[in-house]
Amino acid sequence: MKHQVNRCALAALAVMLGGAGLTGCSSNKPAGSPASSAASAARSGASAVASAAGSAAASVAASAEAAAEAALANVKGGLNATADVTLGTTATGSNGRVEVPVNITNHDAKPRRYTILIDFRDQSGNLLDAIVLEVPETAAGATSHATARSNRNLAGTVTAEVRRALRY
């Protein structure tokens, strides 16, 4: 999928550069000339390609979100434990994936396991990726530490948030 998005971006760049070359030509012909029509078509094509690239990225995020939700659905008898989970600051790891430290404090009197759904979002709040973090047994009153990593490389400023956390 990453290669497909890269190819879409390259195609959009080629179309935009071609359109810029066409609109940069001077002519005494009226606006309805073939050059003007070609430039307009190039801009329209660039917009369509950019839209398709954005749709592809949204589709990947939606697939990750669906897989994460399905994993949470498999947890039987889980209690809401969102208040037990705190996230640190996101950073891009050496492999290009976004990482965030996760701290889980078991406030229960018994050892518990946790399944946590974490969203990675861009500056505009758009969902870029979603993961499920399985935390093995955490002792009663203890805190466990883990690291959540995005499923793929994410660009730009990325934030992480706990959407759901289940204790069982």
Side-chain angles (χ1 to χ4, degrees):
M1 180 59 81
K2 181 179 174 186
H3 295 295
Q4 181 181 6
V5 171
N6 287 343
R7 277 184 256 151
C8 287
L10 287 174
L13 180 62
V15 169
M16 286 188 291
L17 289 175
L22 289 173
T23 58
C25 296
S26 65
S27 173
N28 292 331
K29 296 184 180 179
S33 72
S36 176
S37 296
S40 177
R43 284 190 298 273
S44 176
S47 176
V49 170
S51 176
S55 294
S59 177
V60 169
S63 293
E65 181 180 31
E69 284 288 350
L72 274 177
N74 289 329
V75 175
K76 302 297 179 211
L79 300 173
N80 182 359
T82 305
D84 293 356
V85 181
T86 58
L87 302 179
T89 303
T90 58
T92 302
S94 60
N95 62 359
R97 294 181 182 197
V98 174
E99 301 176 347
V100 63
V102 182
N103 298 309
I104 306 96
T105 302
N106 180 3
H107 295 103
D108 199 32
K110 297 180 182 178
R112 297 293 181 181
R113 297 179 66 189
Y114 289 81
T115 299
I116 306 162
L117 173 57
I118 298 173
D119 288 343
F120 292 96
R121 297 185 179 275
D122 66 13
Q123 287 180 309
S124 299
N126 298 313
L127 181 66
L128 299 173
D129 201 358
I131 63 110
V132 170
L133 182 64
E134 299 284 345
V135 179
E137 192 170 280
T138 301
T143 299
S144 294
H145 306 282
T147 299
R149 288 177 186 83
S150 62
N151 293 307
R152 58 193 181 85
N153 295 356
L154 303 176
T157 302
V158 178
T159 60
E161 64 182 38
V162 176
R163 184 176 344 149
R164 289 180 56 200
L166 300 176
R167 177 181 69 213
Y168 51 101

